[in-house]
Amino acid sequence: MLGIASEAKYSTTGHLVFIRDGGAHGAAFRFQTAGTLRRGISGRRSLCYSAHGNCRGIFRFRSGELAYYVPTAGGATGANTELTWYDRTAKSLGVAGASGEYANPELSPDGKFVAFGRGSPSDIWVLDIGKGLTSRLTSDPAADTYPKWSPDGRTIAFTSEREGTGNLYTRAVGAVGADKLLFKDDAAKSLTDWSRDGRYLAYVANDDVWALPLSGESSGGKPVRVTETAFAEYYAQISPDSRWIAYDSNETGRREVYIQSFPQPGFKQQVSTTGGRTPRWSRDGRELYYYTLAPDWVVMAVSTKPVGASLEIGAPDALVMRPNGATRIYSVSADGRFLLQVPPGAGDSRGLLSGMNSIPVLNHIVVLFNWTQR
């Protein structure tokens, strides 16, 4: 299994538990004994994860209980951050909202609102940037995470664990109503995008990218498997014209960004050259952005131009450097500004990214119960 960032520990529940890409994962592990020969892993389904995506190590686990620690310096977990605007020259343009918890923030299509997770278990909240007001959208006892806006900004789709695993729901914004179940199966799903034409939701399940065709606001079609590899894919983003899909994958042994044809396979090309993750399209589809890997953490931009059934991809150009403690989640506005989630005071008024090495790192312990049922 590639990309494991901690010692893999065996649980008496029959799972290997490990940290990979900021999440706590469990894989079913079955011993088959023939003499002294033992053989290995029967599956790699994620059983639990951190909504903040910054787990650092497994502290303890036993039947029904799993504990791991998460650094809390400000930005990395979303527990105490500011949503700050930057231009492509790395100049700070001001704060979008008061400091607070913003897990997996997502900018609305018109750039006036931000959807995010808050609380434990997480609910979906919405920030009105102009008014500086936040309002709760969901209030189920189960965790609601990964909010994504519909193209018209009237609905938010999200992943919820209220059915025992990560399933897909929607909720109207600014209207009285109930959460609507959109799609349910046995796989834990991380919602990653809602296509600009409104026809697809992209999500990751069992380390592959899937797309759910939408046949209405509250009903979905049969999911389309976009990738089917022995590796792990992450953070799929559909292009504005819905012809391409970008994602990052560890198929080379480290995470790199790729673009391939959508919804049917065909064209595929690696975009990043020295490691990359968390791709985002510009609103006009002429550029793709992504983060480089540690220790640099720079937002890169590549030009994209359709040429028949393929895509011409330019050389990467460095843009914004991530302040220390900032998360890897960001949004891009229609006018090309970047909304980054950073520790309070990380971007000063002169546009310099300050505090790069001065933010203290503390830890807190997260305990999950009944984790084998997730």
Side-chain angles (χ1 to χ4, degrees):
M1 294 183 291
L2 298 174
I4 295 177
S6 72
E7 177 185 359
K9 297 185 178 180
Y10 180 69
S11 167
T12 56
T13 59
H15 301 86
L16 280 182
V17 184
F18 54 90
I19 301 297
R20 182 174 65 189
D21 296 302
H25 296 265
F29 189 89
R30 183 176 302 164
F31 285 119
Q32 296 176 349
T33 304
T36 59
L37 178 63
R38 293 179 176 179
R39 296 179 182 173
I41 296 172
S42 61
R44 54 189 175 97
R45 175 174 296 184
S46 297
L47 300 175
C48 53
Y49 58 91
S50 165
H52 298 305
N54 199 41
C55 310
R56 290 303 187 199
I58 297 165
F59 177 71
R60 183 185 59 156
F61 65 91
R62 63 188 181 188
S63 180
E65 184 178 310
L66 167 69
Y68 54 86
Y69 74 87
V70 180
T72 56
T77 67
N80 182 29
T81 62
E82 288 179 343
L83 300 177
T84 303
W85 291 107
Y86 290 88
D87 67 14
R88 61 188 298 129
T89 68
K91 180 182 179 181
S92 175
L93 303 177
V95 176
S99 61
E101 179 186 6
Y102 299 98
N104 301 296
E106 184 77 6
L107 186 68
S108 64
D110 62 7
K112 296 180 179 180
F113 302 90
V114 179
F116 58 92
R118 175 172 289 181
S120 180
S122 173
D123 288 319
I124 304 301
W125 291 67
V126 175
L127 165 68
D128 184 323
I129 296 176
K131 297 179 180 179
L133 299 176
T134 58
S135 58
R136 187 194 300 264
L137 186 70
T138 69
S139 56
D140 193 90
D144 298 332
T145 57
Y146 304 112
K148 302 298 171 185
W149 293 88
S150 63
D152 62 8
R154 297 179 179 179
T155 305
I156 291 176
F158 57 94
T159 299
S160 178
E161 295 187 9
R162 63 190 67 182
E163 297 290 331
T165 186
N167 289 307
L168 305 182
Y169 286 75
T170 60
R171 178 67 180 264
V173 179
V176 176
D179 305 338
K180 297 181 180 179
L181 176 63
L182 189 63
F183 179 71
K184 174 183 177 180
D185 64 11
D186 293 334
K189 292 168 284 294
S190 299
L191 187 62
T192 62
D193 198 18
W194 194 327
S195 65
R196 201 69 53 82
D197 60 9
R199 296 175 57 195
Y200 295 96
L201 288 178
Y203 64 92
V204 173
N206 295 331
D207 292 336
D208 281 315
V209 176
W210 297 75
L212 179 68
L214 301 178
S215 55
E217 292 186 0
S218 61
S219 60
K222 183 178 180 181
V224 176
R225 194 168 196 163
V226 179
T227 65
E228 188 171 2
T229 73
F231 310 103
E233 279 78 50
Y234 314 86
Y235 209 78
Q237 295 282 291
I238 302 169
S239 64
D241 62 5
S242 295
R243 292 184 57 194
W244 320 97
I245 190 165
Y247 57 89
D248 57 88
S249 172
N250 63 6
E251 68 176 75
T252 66
R254 69 179 177 189
R255 289 175 69 165
E256 299 280 5
V257 174
Y258 297 81
I259 296 178
Q260 73 175 52
S261 304
F262 181 81
Q264 300 301 322
F267 172 86
K268 178 182 176 181
Q269 185 171 326
Q270 182 175 324
V271 176
S272 57
T273 57
T274 58
R277 61 188 301 166
T278 325
R280 284 279 195 177
W281 294 91
S282 65
R283 292 300 178 93
D284 60 11
R286 296 179 180 178
E287 284 187 312
L288 183 76
Y289 310 107
Y290 64 90
Y291 260 126
T292 60
L293 304 183
D296 295 329
W297 295 119
V298 176
V299 176
M300 307 292 286
V302 296
S303 61
T304 60
K305 180 180 179 182
V307 180
S310 64
L311 195 66
E312 186 177 284
I313 300 173
D317 182 30
L319 300 180
V320 181
M321 178 176 290
R322 189 188 82 163
N324 185 37
T327 70
R328 296 177 294 271
I329 305 301
Y330 63 102
S331 293
V332 184
S333 67
D335 59 4
R337 291 174 297 155
F338 294 85
L339 186 64
L340 272 62
Q341 185 183 5
V342 304
D348 66 23
S349 60
R350 295 170 296 166
L352 302 177
L353 298 180
S354 61
M356 296 295 292
N357 298 299
S358 61
I359 300 173
V361 177
L362 305 175
N363 296 319
H364 70 268
I365 302 297
V366 177
V367 180
L368 298 175
F369 297 95
N370 301 317
W371 60 275
T372 59
Q373 300 176 19
R374 296 166 86 83

